[in-house]
């Protein structure tokens, strides 16, 4: 539907950025993703809720300010790179997608979420201070090449599908 080929992994990066962080974190990630876009097909949201929903495409990198139909991308991607918020992690697992997680520094809830996702075997965790094109590319490759991440995420997806949310 979006014109991506099946030869390169499809990576989704739906960011949520604290206002105190300003645009610096999203801009840094975007620069790193530009470097990595020769290896992957990447869709990124800068997390700007009031921003544009029109994509900007540079080669294999497509950037939105905000993706209104995020569930379609969650379903289609091979891997998700995100912060360590409950909503994104649970969304990834409902679709059986493994993650690379970069928790907000000094945020106990996100640190705990990242540790738990790693312990469940569904995520590699990088700290913001470790974040470089090399470290992110290595984490992506590790998750994509290791079937246990997808297997664990798929197992959790099946558990979630067997439950009645209303009940």
């Amino acid at each position: 539907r979006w014109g991506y080929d099946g030869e390169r992994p499809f990576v989704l990066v739906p960011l949520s950025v604290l206002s105190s962080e300003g645009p610096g974190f999203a801009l840094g990630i975007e620069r790193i993703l530009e470097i990595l876009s020769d290896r992957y097909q990447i869709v990124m949201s800068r997390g700007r809720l009031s921003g544009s929903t029109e994509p900007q495409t540079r080669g294999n990198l497509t950037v939105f300010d905000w993706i209104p139909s995020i569930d379609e991308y969650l379903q289609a991607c091979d891997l998700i790179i995100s912060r360590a918020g409950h909503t994104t992690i649970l969304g990834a697992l409902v679709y059986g997608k493994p993650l690379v997680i970069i928790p907000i520094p000094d945020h106990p809830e996100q640190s705990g979420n990242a540790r738990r996702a790693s312990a469940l075997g569904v995520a590699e965790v990088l700290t913001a201070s470790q974040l470089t094109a090399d470290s992110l590319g290595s984490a992506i490759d590790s998750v994509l090449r290791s079937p246990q991440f997808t297997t664990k995420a798929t197992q959790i997806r099946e558990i979630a599908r067997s439950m009645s949310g209303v009940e």
Side-chain angles (χ1 to χ4, degrees):
R1 173 180 169 187
W2 299 303
Y4 299 118
D5 67 53
E7 299 300 314
R8 293 181 192 185
F10 180 16
V11 176
L12 176 64
V13 188
L15 293 183
S16 295
V17 180
L18 295 175
S19 58
S20 61
E21 291 181 289
F25 180 76
L27 184 58
I29 291 281
E30 192 171 334
R31 287 180 180 147
I32 289 171
L33 295 175
E34 284 182 39
I35 294 167
L36 297 175
S37 66
D38 63 330
R39 295 163 53 184
Y40 317 104
Q41 297 169 105
I42 305 169
V43 172
M44 175 187 167
S45 170
R46 294 180 180 123
R48 297 179 189 155
L49 183 56
S50 60
S52 172
T53 58
E54 292 300 314
Q56 302 167 3
T57 301
R58 297 183 301 278
N60 289 318
L61 174 63
T62 301
V63 180
F64 293 82
D65 283 339
W66 184 256
I67 301 174
S69 56
I70 193 71
D71 284 314
E72 293 177 61
Y73 287 92
L74 286 168
Q75 188 173 5
C77 72
D78 297 305
L79 170 89
I80 297 165
I81 300 170
S82 72
R83 291 300 210 170
H86 282 121
T87 302
T88 305
I89 292 173
L90 290 175
L93 295 177
V94 164
Y95 288 107
K97 305 301 177 170
L99 301 115
V100 172
I101 298 175
I102 309 159
I104 296 170
D106 301 319
H107 193 294
E109 178 185 327
Q110 290 222 346
S111 295
N113 293 345
R115 278 192 307 275
R116 183 67 177 142
S118 178
L120 287 170
V122 298
E124 284 275 339
V125 179
L126 292 176
T127 65
S129 63
Q130 294 173 310
L131 194 59
T132 64
D134 287 339
S135 66
L136 185 56
S138 291
I140 293 168
D141 289 342
S142 172
V143 172
L144 290 174
R145 290 184 183 145
S146 303
Q148 71 264 16
F149 288 101
T150 301
T151 299
K152 288 288 191 177
T154 301
Q155 289 170 347
I156 293 171
R157 177 190 70 197
E158 295 310 313
I159 292 168
R161 287 184 176 178
S162 72
M163 297 179 177
S164 171
V166 174
E167 291 176 16

